Amino acid sequence: MGRSQVVPRGRDPRFGPEADDAGCTILHVDMDAFFASVAIRAQPSLRGKPVVVGGIGPRGVVSSASYEARRFGVRSAMPMMRARALCPQAIILPVDGPAIAAASEAVMAIFRDVTPLVEPLSSDEAFLDVAGAQRLLGRPAVIAQQIRDRMLAEQELTCSVGVAPTKFVAKLGSTRAKPDGMVVVPAGLVLDFLHPLPVDALWGVGERAAETLRRLGLTTVGELARAPLGMLRGALGEAAAAHLHELAWGRDPRHVTPEQVEKSIGAEMTFDTDVADRVLLRRSLLALSDKVGARLRASGQVGRTVAIKVRLADFRTVNRSRTVPTSTDVAREIFEISWSLFEALGATDHIRLVGVRVEGLTAAATTSRQLSLGEPERGWREAEAATDAIAARFGRASVGPASLLGRTDLRRTENHPERTVVPLSEPPTPS
């Protein structure tokens, strides 16, 4: 169950916008049903209707659902077929990547107008430290309301905000505020807010850990806080016990960290039907390598390790990687390594999903590259840079590898472009 389904919703006057926000300089802002809201903004006639955004193929997954769809039990990360069964009248839309990227950029720009201390967690949520903005903009709850007002006026989107002394509590607050609300957790009422919550509201408590704690008779955060630390160590291990004990008492010393280091960039696709055709698999890896190369160049990064992910029809997943002497952002080089890794697998089973990833990233501007013996000074890198320029003007679909042009047999559900960011202090919240 997602964290957003664990934390109870509803308004409590003790934690409303007028609550004492002294010392509550951490904001967690989370856009409401972001992908669905962006789609509805583009088609206003969809307002008030059950809209579900995600993979539209038989193996697609729900990325976001409007609150009208959620009333039928539709949730993020749910198989699309299950969503259709729960809500047959739902309007199913594919993810509009460019529209989501543009909306995310606009959202983050509003955050950075308030403070430079913005720590994004995903395309639609971030922590903000507003301690330095109070003299100019007012107390934290006032700043939170200003953000909400600007988001609605400028982007026609709503967001929910948690205002608290710490990141962990602020994130729980934004979840409780959904949709389109604000929760302020006064410093003196943190334990009143935390302790009635179910134990799996704590980050780090998954289904297995929650079951372990329930067997010990610990069902709420307060019960866990008061449990002997030795008992927790025996059940969960030293590190997990210490982590959860601190969170249960509202202690979270982490600061908002605006600087982020990209650890890897990748993409993957799930086929609508299991695939054994090697020509189709080769084209799929080429298409993924092309996407990854473009994203690397757009981010100004290169990487030395290329990895592939292959999920078989029986859901077994195989990962392979290779580290090369010279960093690259060239799709052709990424593909050649990816295909070599795939061939080395000798896979004969039908395949459900393939993915390509580049890891070990460094800034392209500061990473030297040595030409291989006999390699021309100008080649694939320059050709792909030229395609980037064309794509920027006419769209990515206007240019690409010749072997992919006009192909209609790559029938698959494309999963979201994957950009792993560290440090990621919390998981992205299902909006």
Side-chain angles (χ1 to χ4, degrees):
M1 180 180 292
R3 205 80 37 203
S4 61
Q5 280 82 63
V6 170
V7 179
R9 309 292 175 86
R11 306 294 188 247
D12 184 328
R14 296 177 300 165
F15 307 113
E18 300 305 319
D20 180 9
D21 61 359
C24 297
T25 58
I26 305 299
L27 274 55
H28 181 260
V29 187
D30 192 8
M31 306 304 294
D32 296 323
F34 186 53
F35 286 20
S37 296
V38 171
I40 292 168
R41 182 180 66 176
Q43 302 181 58
S45 62
L46 298 179
R47 292 194 188 282
K49 298 179 180 179
V51 175
V52 180
V53 175
I56 59 177
R59 289 179 174 170
V61 174
V62 174
S63 298
S64 179
S66 68
Y67 288 92
E68 291 79 8
R70 295 183 190 201
R71 295 191 187 109
F72 293 87
V74 179
R75 294 289 183 268
S76 298
M78 173 182 288
M80 189 63 77
M81 291 184 68
R82 173 66 174 158
R84 291 178 189 270
L86 289 171
C87 186
Q89 67 271 47
I91 299 165
I92 312 295
L93 299 173
V95 175
D96 186 338
I100 294 297
S104 177
E105 185 175 344
V107 164
M108 296 299 163
I110 290 176
F111 295 162
R112 293 189 176 97
D113 281 348
V114 172
T115 173
L117 299 178
V118 176
E119 181 181 337
L121 295 183
S122 67
S123 62
D124 66 334
E125 63 174 313
F127 288 114
L128 287 71
D129 186 335
V130 298
Q134 293 183 86
R135 179 173 296 181
L136 180 63
L137 300 178
R139 61 188 182 87
V142 170
I143 296 173
Q145 187 58 49
Q146 290 171 358
I147 292 172
R148 297 181 65 233
D149 291 343
R150 280 193 63 186
M151 208 66 72
L152 185 59
E154 298 176 20
Q155 297 301 316
E156 300 180 66
L157 299 170
T158 65
C159 61
S160 300
V161 186
V163 183
T166 65
K167 292 168 73 173
F168 169 64
V169 177
K171 189 173 172 85
L172 289 177
S174 70
T175 300
R176 185 160 177 171
K178 282 186 170 293
D180 191 20
M182 174 172 37
V183 163
V184 177
V185 184
L189 294 178
V190 166
L191 298 185
D192 295 74
F193 178 79
L194 276 180
H195 282 186
L197 296 177
V199 71
D200 41 354
L202 294 175
W203 174 241
V205 178
E207 291 183 9
R208 292 179 62 183
E211 180 57 34
T212 298
L213 292 170
R214 282 192 286 268
R215 286 200 298 268
L216 296 174
L218 307 177
T219 61
T220 68
V221 174
E223 290 169 348
L224 186 149
R226 292 184 289 271
L229 195 51
M231 181 175 75
L232 296 179
R233 289 193 191 103
L236 303 171
E238 181 73 37
H243 168 73
L244 295 178
H245 180 77
E246 290 298 293
L247 290 183
W249 285 105
R251 295 191 281 263
D252 179 9
R254 296 169 303 161
H255 300 290
V256 172
T257 308
E259 294 298 324
Q260 300 178 353
V261 178
E262 288 178 308
K263 184 179 180 182
S264 66
I265 292 178
E268 57 187 40
M269 62 174 67
T270 301
F271 298 102
D272 286 352
T273 57
D274 298 333
V275 170
D277 183 346
R278 290 178 67 80
V279 174
L280 179 54
L281 289 165
R282 181 181 172 89
R283 289 195 182 107
S284 300
L285 287 172
L286 176 58
L288 290 171
S289 298
D290 188 53
K291 291 178 183 294
V292 171
R295 290 170 190 148
L296 282 167
R297 295 189 296 275
S299 69
Q301 303 207 72
V302 292
R304 288 184 56 205
T305 299
V306 176
I308 64 168
K309 174 181 177 181
V310 178
R311 180 164 296 152
L312 304 176
D314 62 3
F315 286 90
R316 285 181 295 144
T317 300
V318 181
N319 297 281
R320 294 290 185 270
S321 64
R322 179 179 301 161
T323 299
V324 294
T326 303
S327 296
T328 186
D329 57 5
V330 179
R332 187 71 189 185
E333 295 174 359
I334 296 167
F335 166 68
E336 288 172 352
I337 298 169
S338 299
W339 182 245
S340 173
L341 290 169
F342 181 82
E343 285 194 307
L345 286 178
T348 57
D349 295 344
H350 281 66
I351 290 172
R352 179 185 182 90
L353 172 151
V354 290
V356 174
R357 176 186 301 281
V358 174
E359 304 170 342
L361 304 186
T362 56
T366 58
T367 303
S368 61
R369 183 176 185 274
Q370 185 175 355
L371 292 175
S372 302
L373 183 63
E375 180 182 355
E377 292 186 9
R378 302 180 67 84
W380 283 108
R381 173 171 281 98
E382 289 69 29
E384 292 181 12
T387 66
D388 291 340
I390 296 170
R393 184 173 181 182
F394 300 106
R396 179 56 61 179
S398 64
V399 63
S403 60
L404 299 179
L405 295 180
R407 299 303 308 183
T408 59
D409 55 353
L410 288 182
R411 297 183 299 275
R412 78 283 186 191
T413 299
E414 288 195 28
N415 300 334
H416 299 311
E418 203 172 316
R419 285 167 65 105
T420 305
V421 177
V422 293
L424 185 62
S425 34
E426 301 283 0
T429 302
S431 60

